[in-house]
Amino acid sequence: MPTVVVMDVSLSMTRPVSVEGSEEYQRKHLAAHGLTMLFEHMATNYKLEFTALVVFSSLWELMVPFTRDYNTLQEALSNMDDYDKTCLEAALLGVCNIVQQEWGAAIPCQVVLVTDGFLGIGKGSLRHSLATLNQRNESSRFPLPFPFPSKLYIMCMANLEELQSSDALDCLERLIDLNNGEGQIFTIDGPLCLKNVQSMFGKLIDLAYTPFHAVLKCGHLSSDVQVFPRPEPFIIDEEIDPIPKSINTDLEVVGFIDIADISSPPVLSRHLVLPIALNKEGDELGPGIADDIEDENSANQIAGKIPNFCVLLHGSLKVEGMVAIVQLGPEWCGMLYSQADSKKKSNLMMSLFEPGPEPLPWLGKTAQLGPVSDAKDNPYGEDDNKSPFPLQPKHKRSYAQNVTVWIKPSGLQTDVQKILRNARKLPEKTQTFYKELNRLRKAALAFGFLDLLKGVADMLERECTLLPDTMHLDAAFQLSHAAQQLKEASTGTSEYAAYDHNITPLQTDFSSSSAERM
């Protein structure tokens, strides 16, 4: 989960702070000290996290683009200049642009806003931005909520009493509310000093940047692992109260299944599973970054000589082309599998299914899956030439019928061509012509594709003018009738535009005489 650190470098951050000792501190120095602590923690425990640094006053600037080099981030903290007034809206708009350019709108992101709680003055201040929320059009909308999944953490270089003396705290809480309640405000407990700043950033680390350690088990084999990024609690929507559900720290492999059988299932999230090596004394060696390169190399050499179940499982799944079903909690499963980054590098990944007894309908209930050896006959056949999946439903669903699918242009083209082919064989294909025409009409109305109806009507009129002299007269009447009905439906307001309305063949003297002869 990428992180964007947004640092306030306005003049209010240069206000002096009374700290014991001869050295003078400003609020920006306290903020830099807290961020240094955060970056050092992430370099040790969250080294796979991508982090960017943005500074802002009335304008914003990307100081460090998304990187895993935390030395660069710490160096940038010491090279920040002081600028003019505070404009939080501009900074939040900058965060939107940066994240969307790098990650799009689907990747969750954490935003850490570091400010002193001073909201700015005049136009561009947070008070002005919040006061004009309802007076904006779509082109000038307020950047919150972010257009991507996010959590906004506001780190205030001020204590609670200072924020409550003005409306600053209420305005900052409004920002959290605008972000759909995703986030939290942190303030300094007690006087402004380095120790209390460390305590505040420690609370942020405990909340959002604590690595998730677990034990991966399979029978008598086990391995200590880190799951990255940290799995978020899943909220189950119940009728009374939403219930957050978290995965267990004991991840037990309950079975294995072919990749072809599980196919590409819907998942809540995907995570790396990294082995944590332990030395002979049981002390942890990884997966953090060592302070010295020589120490890191020696730690890796030691870890490489110790057998690890996680490595064994990864290699086995990769070679056998299988996935492992892992129990995450009561009636909650996921899968472990090998995913290749390149031809030479692959990782052990874990995907989380939705909680429930039957997360994948084509596999049936997870609790009823069992080993192949328990079956009377091998469900995969003697030569592995068949599969018991997907399971067929016992009862045919009332909605189990052919539906119109236009995911690709070829599907739509085929349906239109089918209508034209039948049109050229009128009146013999009258019933088939109207059947296909009504199927296309209903699909177009369902998709709101009214232009298609007008286009097909124009095609039918053209076909009517191109009919040869030897063609039955009834064909021209039927084509003109169908075209007129489609044009009426394309307006969306006529009674012929109702979804349940069907176009019926036009009754003519030619059609009745043809029916009598038949």
Side-chain angles (χ1 to χ4, degrees):
M1 189 182 295
T3 295
V4 181
V5 175
V6 188
M7 175 71 173
D8 186 353
V9 290
S10 61
L11 289 175
S12 61
M13 288 289 284
T14 62
R15 288 180 290 170
V17 177
S18 301
V19 179
E20 294 180 1
S22 58
E23 188 174 358
E24 292 186 358
Y25 281 95
Q26 299 175 354
R27 295 184 186 236
K28 69 174 185 179
H29 296 143
L30 296 180
H33 179 76
L35 287 176
T36 300
M37 171 185 169
L38 175 64
F39 291 154
E40 288 176 350
H41 170 83
M42 294 172 71
T44 304
N45 300 285
Y46 255 66
K47 66 177 182 178
L48 297 177
E49 185 81 284
F50 281 98
T51 306
L53 178 62
V54 175
V55 297
F56 76 97
S57 55
S58 60
L59 302 174
W60 63 274
E61 178 187 356
L62 179 61
M63 289 281 289
V64 182
F66 284 100
T67 181
R68 288 172 172 166
D69 186 355
Y70 288 96
N71 291 328
T72 303
L73 290 165
Q74 293 184 48
E75 290 173 4
L77 291 176
S78 58
N79 296 328
M80 293 185 299
D81 297 325
D82 302 324
Y83 293 93
D84 49 6
K85 67 175 187 176
T86 304
C87 184
L88 269 172
E89 182 176 350
L92 297 175
L93 189 60
V95 171
C96 288
N97 295 334
I98 293 168
V99 174
Q100 287 186 292
Q101 288 176 7
E102 186 74 22
W103 303 101
I107 303 298
C109 185
Q110 299 189 121
V111 180
V112 180
L113 173 61
V114 183
T115 183
D116 59 346
F118 191 75
L119 307 180
I121 54 175
K123 188 176 182 180
S125 67
L126 185 59
R127 290 188 188 90
H128 180 268
S129 297
L130 295 177
T132 58
L133 274 180
N134 299 325
Q135 305 170 12
R136 301 168 181 245
N137 53 34
E138 188 62 28
S139 60
S140 60
R141 65 178 291 273
F142 193 70
L144 291 179
F146 288 119
F148 47 85
S150 64
K151 290 192 176 181
L152 176 61
Y153 299 111
I154 302 177
M155 315 300 293
C156 292
M157 294 298 111
N159 53 38
L160 192 60
E161 292 76 12
E162 184 179 351
L163 294 175
Q164 288 176 337
S165 63
S166 64
D167 63 342
L169 185 61
D170 294 335
C171 291
L172 294 177
E173 287 177 345
R174 184 78 187 281
L175 290 181
I176 303 297
D177 293 337
L178 288 173
N179 199 42
N180 300 320
E182 295 290 342
Q184 190 172 329
I185 299 174
F186 294 87
T187 59
I188 296 176
D189 294 333
L192 275 63
C193 61
L194 295 178
K195 181 179 179 182
N196 290 339
V197 168
Q198 287 180 350
S199 175
M200 180 179 69
F201 274 86
K203 294 177 182 177
L204 172 65
I205 291 171
D206 292 340
L207 177 65
Y209 295 100
T210 301
F212 185 86
H213 291 172
V215 179
L216 182 61
K217 298 179 179 179
C218 181
H220 298 292
L221 301 174
S222 64
S223 174
D224 293 296
V225 296
Q226 176 182 343
V227 179
F228 181 88
R230 183 184 180 90
E232 294 293 327
F234 178 73
I235 305 297
I236 301 177
D237 291 330
E238 298 287 348
E239 293 183 0
I240 303 175
D241 292 318
I243 304 173
K245 197 169 186 176
S246 302
I247 73 171
N248 295 338
T249 53
D250 287 337
L251 307 176
E252 186 170 357
V253 175
V254 294
F256 301 88
I257 193 170
D258 287 339
I259 290 179
D261 289 336
I262 206 160
S263 189
S264 181
V267 297
L268 298 174
S269 57
R270 289 183 289 271
H271 308 265
L272 278 170
V273 179
L274 307 171
I276 300 176
L278 301 175
N279 60 19
K280 294 181 179 178
E281 286 75 25
D283 297 329
E284 187 177 309
L285 295 177
I289 297 178
D291 295 335
D292 187 78
I293 297 177
E294 294 182 359
D295 293 341
E296 183 179 3
N297 292 335
S298 61
N300 289 337
Q301 290 176 359
I302 296 173
K305 295 178 181 179
I306 300 175
N308 192 293
F309 167 62
C310 185
V311 178
L312 172 66
L313 178 64
H314 178 206
S316 302
L317 296 177
K318 183 178 179 181
V319 172
E320 297 295 333
M322 304 186 80
V323 301
I325 304 298
V326 60
Q327 191 78 33
L328 306 175
E331 288 194 343
W332 194 7
C333 292
M335 67 175 182
L336 293 166
Y337 56 97
S338 174
Q339 184 175 34
D341 286 344
S342 61
K343 292 183 178 179
K344 295 183 178 180
K345 185 180 179 182
S346 62
N347 301 296
L348 183 62
M349 301 287 293
M350 181 172 71
S351 293
L352 311 186
F353 302 146
E354 280 203 16
E358 195 174 357
L360 307 180
W362 61 91
L363 295 184
K365 292 185 177 180
T366 308
Q368 294 179 356
L369 295 174
V372 175
S373 57
D374 286 355
K376 294 181 179 179
D377 300 320
N378 189 344
Y380 290 93
E382 298 298 331
D383 301 324
D384 288 340
N385 55 358
K386 63 178 183 178
S387 172
F389 305 108
L391 293 179
Q392 298 299 321
K394 295 181 180 179
H395 305 287
K396 186 176 182 180
R397 304 287 188 250
S398 60
Y399 52 80
Q401 55 184 344
N402 292 331
V403 294
T404 304
V405 179
W406 292 335
I407 296 176
K408 297 181 180 179
S410 58
L412 176 58
Q413 184 180 2
T414 300
D415 287 343
V416 174
Q417 287 177 343
K418 193 181 298 184
I419 292 173
L420 294 178
R421 282 198 306 271
N422 288 313
R424 291 169 188 147
K425 296 179 182 179
L426 290 172
E428 290 82 5
K429 294 288 186 179
T430 299
Q431 297 302 325
T432 307
F433 170 74
Y434 279 100
K435 176 184 175 183
E436 294 297 332
L437 189 69
N438 281 312
R439 188 169 70 88
L440 178 134
R441 175 187 171 281
K442 285 180 179 289
L445 290 174
F447 297 147
F449 199 174
L450 300 181
D451 290 339
L452 173 65
L453 298 179
K454 189 175 184 305
V456 175
D458 293 339
M459 284 181 168
L460 295 179
E461 287 182 341
R462 182 175 179 275
E463 284 293 323
C464 187
T465 60
L466 296 177
L467 288 175
D469 296 337
T470 57
M471 198 72 177
H472 198 288
L473 290 177
D474 191 39
F477 286 105
Q478 298 295 346
L479 289 177
S480 299
H481 169 67
Q484 182 62 30
Q485 292 275 311
L486 289 180
K487 283 186 177 180
E488 293 284 351
S490 67
T491 62
T493 56
S494 169
E495 60 177 334
Y496 300 105
Y499 181 80
D500 294 330
H501 176 75
N502 282 321
I503 303 176
T504 56
L506 179 66
Q507 295 298 322
T508 64
D509 294 337
F510 304 105
S511 59
S512 60
S513 61
S514 299
E516 288 175 2
R517 287 196 300 268
M518 292 175 65

Short mmCIF file of all heavy atoms in Angstrom, two decimals, residues 441-484:
data_model
loop_
_atom_site.label_atom_id
_atom_site.label_comp_id
_atom_site.label_asym_id
_atom_site.label_seq_id
_atom_site.Cartn_x
_atom_site.Cartn_y
_atom_site.Cartn_z
N ARG A 441 -33.38 -5.98 -29.78
CA ARG A 441 -34.08 -4.80 -29.26
C ARG A 441 -34.06 -4.78 -27.73
O ARG A 441 -33.78 -3.75 -27.11
CB ARG A 441 -35.53 -4.81 -29.78
CG ARG A 441 -36.41 -3.72 -29.23
CD ARG A 441 -37.85 -3.94 -29.67
NE ARG A 441 -38.73 -3.02 -28.98
CZ ARG A 441 -39.17 -3.17 -27.75
NH1 ARG A 441 -38.80 -4.24 -27.05
NH2 ARG A 441 -39.98 -2.27 -27.19
N LYS A 442 -34.36 -5.91 -27.09
CA LYS A 442 -34.37 -5.97 -25.62
C LYS A 442 -32.97 -5.70 -25.05
O LYS A 442 -32.83 -4.99 -24.04
CB LYS A 442 -34.86 -7.34 -25.15
CG LYS A 442 -36.37 -7.54 -25.30
CD LYS A 442 -36.77 -8.92 -24.80
CE LYS A 442 -38.28 -9.13 -24.92
NZ LYS A 442 -39.02 -8.32 -23.95
N ALA A 443 -31.94 -6.27 -25.67
CA ALA A 443 -30.57 -6.05 -25.19
C ALA A 443 -30.18 -4.58 -25.32
O ALA A 443 -29.57 -3.99 -24.41
CB ALA A 443 -29.60 -6.93 -25.96
N ALA A 444 -30.53 -3.96 -26.46
CA ALA A 444 -30.19 -2.55 -26.66
C ALA A 444 -30.90 -1.66 -25.64
O ALA A 444 -30.32 -0.71 -25.10
CB ALA A 444 -30.56 -2.13 -28.08
N LEU A 445 -32.16 -1.97 -25.33
CA LEU A 445 -32.89 -1.19 -24.32
C LEU A 445 -32.29 -1.39 -22.93
O LEU A 445 -32.19 -0.46 -22.13
CB LEU A 445 -34.37 -1.58 -24.33
CG LEU A 445 -35.19 -1.14 -25.56
CD1 LEU A 445 -36.59 -1.73 -25.49
CD2 LEU A 445 -35.26 0.38 -25.65
N ALA A 446 -31.89 -2.63 -22.64
CA ALA A 446 -31.30 -2.93 -21.33
C ALA A 446 -29.97 -2.19 -21.13
O ALA A 446 -29.67 -1.70 -20.04
CB ALA A 446 -31.10 -4.42 -21.16
N PHE A 447 -29.18 -2.10 -22.21
CA PHE A 447 -27.88 -1.43 -22.13
C PHE A 447 -28.00 0.08 -22.34
O PHE A 447 -27.00 0.79 -22.20
CB PHE A 447 -26.92 -2.00 -23.18
CG PHE A 447 -26.60 -3.45 -22.99
CD1 PHE A 447 -26.36 -4.28 -24.08
CD2 PHE A 447 -26.52 -4.00 -21.73
CE1 PHE A 447 -26.05 -5.62 -23.92
CE2 PHE A 447 -26.23 -5.34 -21.55
CZ PHE A 447 -26.00 -6.15 -22.63
N GLY A 448 -29.20 0.56 -22.71
CA GLY A 448 -29.35 1.98 -23.02
C GLY A 448 -28.72 2.35 -24.35
O GLY A 448 -28.36 3.51 -24.58
N PHE A 449 -28.58 1.36 -25.23
CA PHE A 449 -27.92 1.54 -26.52
C PHE A 449 -28.98 1.90 -27.57
O PHE A 449 -29.23 1.16 -28.51
CB PHE A 449 -27.20 0.23 -26.89
CG PHE A 449 -26.13 0.38 -27.93
CD1 PHE A 449 -25.34 -0.70 -28.27
CD2 PHE A 449 -25.92 1.58 -28.60
CE1 PHE A 449 -24.35 -0.60 -29.22
CE2 PHE A 449 -24.94 1.70 -29.56
CZ PHE A 449 -24.15 0.62 -29.87
N LEU A 450 -29.61 3.08 -27.41
CA LEU A 450 -30.72 3.46 -28.28
C LEU A 450 -30.25 3.79 -29.70
O LEU A 450 -31.00 3.62 -30.66
CB LEU A 450 -31.46 4.66 -27.69
CG LEU A 450 -32.08 4.44 -26.29
CD1 LEU A 450 -32.80 5.69 -25.83
CD2 LEU A 450 -33.01 3.24 -26.30
N ASP A 451 -29.01 4.26 -29.83
CA ASP A 451 -28.49 4.57 -31.17
C ASP A 451 -28.41 3.31 -32.03
O ASP A 451 -28.50 3.39 -33.26
CB ASP A 451 -27.10 5.21 -31.07
CG ASP A 451 -27.19 6.62 -30.50
OD1 ASP A 451 -28.29 7.20 -30.56
OD2 ASP A 451 -26.17 7.13 -30.00
N LEU A 452 -28.21 2.16 -31.40
CA LEU A 452 -28.15 0.91 -32.15
C LEU A 452 -29.49 0.64 -32.83
O LEU A 452 -29.54 0.20 -33.98
CB LEU A 452 -27.78 -0.24 -31.23
CG LEU A 452 -27.84 -1.64 -31.85
CD1 LEU A 452 -26.80 -1.78 -32.96
CD2 LEU A 452 -27.63 -2.71 -30.80
N LEU A 453 -30.59 0.91 -32.13
CA LEU A 453 -31.91 0.66 -32.70
C LEU A 453 -32.14 1.52 -33.94
O LEU A 453 -32.66 1.04 -34.96
CB LEU A 453 -32.99 0.95 -31.66
CG LEU A 453 -32.95 0.08 -30.39
CD1 LEU A 453 -34.05 0.50 -29.43
CD2 LEU A 453 -33.06 -1.39 -30.72
N LYS A 454 -31.72 2.77 -33.87
CA LYS A 454 -31.89 3.64 -35.03
C LYS A 454 -31.00 3.18 -36.18
O LYS A 454 -31.39 3.19 -37.35
CB LYS A 454 -31.56 5.08 -34.65
CG LYS A 454 -31.91 6.10 -35.74
CD LYS A 454 -31.66 7.51 -35.27
CE LYS A 454 -32.11 8.52 -36.33
NZ LYS A 454 -31.51 8.29 -37.64
N GLY A 455 -29.78 2.73 -35.83
CA GLY A 455 -28.87 2.25 -36.88
C GLY A 455 -29.41 1.01 -37.58
O GLY A 455 -29.33 0.90 -38.82
N VAL A 456 -29.96 0.06 -36.82
CA VAL A 456 -30.51 -1.15 -37.43
C VAL A 456 -31.76 -0.81 -38.25
O VAL A 456 -31.99 -1.39 -39.32
CB VAL A 456 -30.85 -2.19 -36.33
CG1 VAL A 456 -31.54 -3.40 -36.93
CG2 VAL A 456 -29.57 -2.63 -35.61
N ALA A 457 -32.55 0.18 -37.79
CA ALA A 457 -33.72 0.61 -38.56
C ALA A 457 -33.30 1.17 -39.91
O ALA A 457 -33.92 0.87 -40.96
CB ALA A 457 -34.51 1.65 -37.76
N ASP A 458 -32.23 1.96 -39.93
CA ASP A 458 -31.72 2.50 -41.20
C ASP A 458 -31.24 1.37 -42.11
O ASP A 458 -31.43 1.42 -43.34
CB ASP A 458 -30.59 3.48 -40.93
CG ASP A 458 -31.08 4.75 -40.22
OD1 ASP A 458 -32.29 5.02 -40.30
OD2 ASP A 458 -30.24 5.43 -39.59
N MET A 459 -30.63 0.35 -41.53
CA MET A 459 -30.16 -0.80 -42.32
C MET A 459 -31.33 -1.53 -42.96
O MET A 459 -31.27 -1.93 -44.14
CB MET A 459 -29.37 -1.78 -41.42
CG MET A 459 -27.99 -1.35 -41.07
SD MET A 459 -27.20 -2.61 -40.05
CE MET A 459 -25.53 -2.03 -40.09
N LEU A 460 -32.40 -1.73 -42.20
CA LEU A 460 -33.56 -2.44 -42.73
C LEU A 460 -34.23 -1.64 -43.85
O LEU A 460 -34.69 -2.21 -44.85
CB LEU A 460 -34.56 -2.72 -41.62
CG LEU A 460 -34.09 -3.69 -40.51
CD1 LEU A 460 -35.18 -3.87 -39.46
CD2 LEU A 460 -33.69 -5.04 -41.09
N GLU A 461 -34.27 -0.31 -43.70
CA GLU A 461 -34.84 0.52 -44.76
C GLU A 461 -34.00 0.43 -46.03
O GLU A 461 -34.53 0.41 -47.15
CB GLU A 461 -34.96 1.96 -44.28
CG GLU A 461 -36.07 2.18 -43.26
CD GLU A 461 -36.18 3.64 -42.85
OE1 GLU A 461 -35.21 4.39 -43.06
OE2 GLU A 461 -37.24 4.01 -42.31
N ARG A 462 -32.71 0.39 -45.83
CA ARG A 462 -31.82 0.26 -47.00
C ARG A 462 -32.01 -1.09 -47.67
O ARG A 462 -32.03 -1.20 -48.91
CB ARG A 462 -30.36 0.44 -46.57
CG ARG A 462 -29.36 0.38 -47.71
CD ARG A 462 -27.96 0.69 -47.21
NE ARG A 462 -27.00 0.62 -48.29
CZ ARG A 462 -26.40 -0.49 -48.72
NH1 ARG A 462 -26.70 -1.66 -48.13
NH2 ARG A 462 -25.54 -0.46 -49.72
N GLU A 463 -32.15 -2.16 -46.84
CA GLU A 463 -32.39 -3.49 -47.40
C GLU A 463 -33.70 -3.50 -48.20
O GLU A 463 -33.82 -4.16 -49.22
CB GLU A 463 -32.45 -4.54 -46.28
CG GLU A 463 -31.10 -4.92 -45.69
CD GLU A 463 -30.22 -5.65 -46.69
OE1 GLU A 463 -30.75 -6.44 -47.48
OE2 GLU A 463 -29.01 -5.38 -46.67
N CYS A 464 -34.68 -2.74 -47.71
CA CYS A 464 -35.97 -2.69 -48.39
C CYS A 464 -35.85 -2.08 -49.79
O CYS A 464 -36.50 -2.52 -50.74
CB CYS A 464 -36.95 -1.88 -47.54
SG CYS A 464 -38.65 -1.90 -48.14
N THR A 465 -35.01 -1.06 -49.92
CA THR A 465 -34.82 -0.43 -51.23
C THR A 465 -33.99 -1.28 -52.18
O THR A 465 -34.04 -1.08 -53.39
CB THR A 465 -34.13 0.94 -51.05
OG1 THR A 465 -32.84 0.75 -50.44
CG2 THR A 465 -34.98 1.86 -50.17
N LEU A 466 -33.21 -2.20 -51.62
CA LEU A 466 -32.34 -3.05 -52.45
C LEU A 466 -32.98 -4.39 -52.80
O LEU A 466 -32.31 -5.25 -53.40
CB LEU A 466 -31.01 -3.29 -51.73
CG LEU A 466 -30.13 -2.06 -51.47
CD1 LEU A 466 -28.89 -2.45 -50.68
CD2 LEU A 466 -29.75 -1.37 -52.77
N LEU A 467 -34.22 -4.60 -52.39
CA LEU A 467 -34.87 -5.89 -52.69
C LEU A 467 -35.02 -6.08 -54.20
O LEU A 467 -35.43 -5.14 -54.92
CB LEU A 467 -36.25 -5.94 -52.03
CG LEU A 467 -36.29 -6.09 -50.50
CD1 LEU A 467 -37.73 -6.00 -50.01
CD2 LEU A 467 -35.65 -7.40 -50.06
N PRO A 468 -34.72 -7.26 -54.72
CA PRO A 468 -34.89 -7.50 -56.15
C PRO A 468 -36.37 -7.56 -56.54
O PRO A 468 -37.24 -7.77 -55.68
CB PRO A 468 -34.19 -8.85 -56.37
CG PRO A 468 -34.24 -9.52 -55.04
CD PRO A 468 -34.15 -8.41 -54.01
N ASP A 469 -36.64 -7.41 -57.83
CA ASP A 469 -38.04 -7.41 -58.30
C ASP A 469 -38.71 -8.76 -58.09
O ASP A 469 -39.94 -8.85 -57.99
CB ASP A 469 -38.08 -7.04 -59.79
CG ASP A 469 -37.59 -5.62 -60.02
OD1 ASP A 469 -37.65 -4.83 -59.05
OD2 ASP A 469 -37.12 -5.31 -61.13
N THR A 470 -37.90 -9.81 -58.03
CA THR A 470 -38.46 -11.16 -57.86
C THR A 470 -38.82 -11.46 -56.41
O THR A 470 -39.37 -12.52 -56.12
CB THR A 470 -37.45 -12.21 -58.35
OG1 THR A 470 -36.22 -12.04 -57.63
CG2 THR A 470 -37.19 -12.03 -59.85
N MET A 471 -38.48 -10.55 -55.50
CA MET A 471 -38.73 -10.79 -54.08
C MET A 471 -40.22 -10.70 -53.78
O MET A 471 -40.98 -9.95 -54.41
CB MET A 471 -37.99 -9.76 -53.23
CG MET A 471 -37.82 -10.15 -51.80
SD MET A 471 -36.61 -11.47 -51.63
CE MET A 471 -36.56 -11.63 -49.86
N HIS A 472 -40.70 -11.48 -52.85
CA HIS A 472 -42.11 -11.47 -52.43
C HIS A 472 -42.47 -10.10 -51.88
O HIS A 472 -41.70 -9.47 -51.15
CB HIS A 472 -42.33 -12.55 -51.37
CG HIS A 472 -43.77 -12.91 -51.18
ND1 HIS A 472 -44.66 -12.08 -50.57
CD2 HIS A 472 -44.46 -14.03 -51.53
CE1 HIS A 472 -45.85 -12.64 -50.53
NE2 HIS A 472 -45.75 -13.85 -51.13
N LEU A 473 -43.66 -9.62 -52.22
CA LEU A 473 -44.09 -8.29 -51.79
C LEU A 473 -44.17 -8.17 -50.26
O LEU A 473 -43.98 -7.09 -49.70
CB LEU A 473 -45.44 -7.97 -52.43
CG LEU A 473 -45.43 -7.73 -53.94
CD1 LEU A 473 -46.85 -7.50 -54.43
CD2 LEU A 473 -44.56 -6.53 -54.28
N ASP A 474 -44.46 -9.29 -49.61
CA ASP A 474 -44.60 -9.24 -48.15
C ASP A 474 -43.28 -8.84 -47.47
O ASP A 474 -43.30 -8.25 -46.38
CB ASP A 474 -45.06 -10.61 -47.63
CG ASP A 474 -45.48 -10.55 -46.17
OD1 ASP A 474 -46.12 -9.54 -45.79
OD2 ASP A 474 -45.16 -11.47 -45.40
N ALA A 475 -42.15 -9.15 -48.10
CA ALA A 475 -40.85 -8.82 -47.51
C ALA A 475 -40.69 -7.32 -47.32
O ALA A 475 -40.21 -6.84 -46.28
CB ALA A 475 -39.73 -9.37 -48.38
N ALA A 476 -41.08 -6.54 -48.32
CA ALA A 476 -40.95 -5.09 -48.22
C ALA A 476 -41.82 -4.54 -47.10
O ALA A 476 -41.39 -3.66 -46.32
CB ALA A 476 -41.33 -4.44 -49.55
N PHE A 477 -43.06 -5.04 -46.97
CA PHE A 477 -43.94 -4.57 -45.90
C PHE A 477 -43.36 -4.90 -44.52
O PHE A 477 -43.41 -4.09 -43.59
CB PHE A 477 -45.33 -5.20 -46.06
CG PHE A 477 -46.14 -4.60 -47.18
CD1 PHE A 477 -46.32 -5.30 -48.37
CD2 PHE A 477 -46.70 -3.34 -47.06
CE1 PHE A 477 -47.06 -4.75 -49.40
CE2 PHE A 477 -47.44 -2.79 -48.09
CZ PHE A 477 -47.63 -3.49 -49.27
N GLN A 478 -42.83 -6.12 -44.37
CA GLN A 478 -42.29 -6.54 -43.07
C GLN A 478 -41.06 -5.71 -42.68
O GLN A 478 -40.90 -5.31 -41.53
CB GLN A 478 -41.95 -8.04 -43.08
CG GLN A 478 -43.14 -8.96 -43.31
CD GLN A 478 -44.16 -8.90 -42.19
OE1 GLN A 478 -43.90 -8.38 -41.10
NE2 GLN A 478 -45.36 -9.41 -42.46
N LEU A 479 -40.19 -5.44 -43.65
CA LEU A 479 -38.98 -4.65 -43.36
C LEU A 479 -39.35 -3.22 -42.99
O LEU A 479 -38.78 -2.65 -42.04
CB LEU A 479 -38.05 -4.66 -44.57
CG LEU A 479 -37.35 -6.00 -44.87
CD1 LEU A 479 -36.51 -5.88 -46.13
CD2 LEU A 479 -36.46 -6.42 -43.70
N SER A 480 -40.28 -2.62 -43.70
CA SER A 480 -40.69 -1.25 -43.39
C SER A 480 -41.36 -1.19 -42.01
O SER A 480 -41.12 -0.27 -41.22
CB SER A 480 -41.66 -0.73 -44.46
OG SER A 480 -41.05 -0.71 -45.72
N HIS A 481 -42.16 -2.21 -41.71
CA HIS A 481 -42.82 -2.28 -40.41
C HIS A 481 -41.80 -2.42 -39.28
O HIS A 481 -41.87 -1.71 -38.26
CB HIS A 481 -43.78 -3.47 -40.41
CG HIS A 481 -44.32 -3.82 -39.05
ND1 HIS A 481 -45.17 -2.98 -38.34
CD2 HIS A 481 -44.11 -4.91 -38.26
CE1 HIS A 481 -45.46 -3.55 -37.18
NE2 HIS A 481 -44.84 -4.72 -37.11
N ALA A 482 -40.84 -3.30 -39.44
CA ALA A 482 -39.81 -3.51 -38.40
C ALA A 482 -38.96 -2.26 -38.20
O ALA A 482 -38.64 -1.87 -37.07
CB ALA A 482 -38.93 -4.70 -38.78
N ALA A 483 -38.60 -1.60 -39.31
CA ALA A 483 -37.79 -0.38 -39.21
C ALA A 483 -38.54 0.72 -38.46
O ALA A 483 -37.96 1.43 -37.62
CB ALA A 483 -37.39 0.09 -40.61
N GLN A 484 -39.82 0.87 -38.76
CA GLN A 484 -40.62 1.89 -38.09
C GLN A 484 -40.74 1.62 -36.59
O GLN A 484 -40.64 2.53 -35.76
CB GLN A 484 -42.02 1.95 -38.73
CG GLN A 484 -42.93 3.02 -38.15
CD GLN A 484 -42.36 4.43 -38.35
OE1 GLN A 484 -41.66 4.67 -39.33
NE2 GLN A 484 -42.65 5.33 -37.42
#
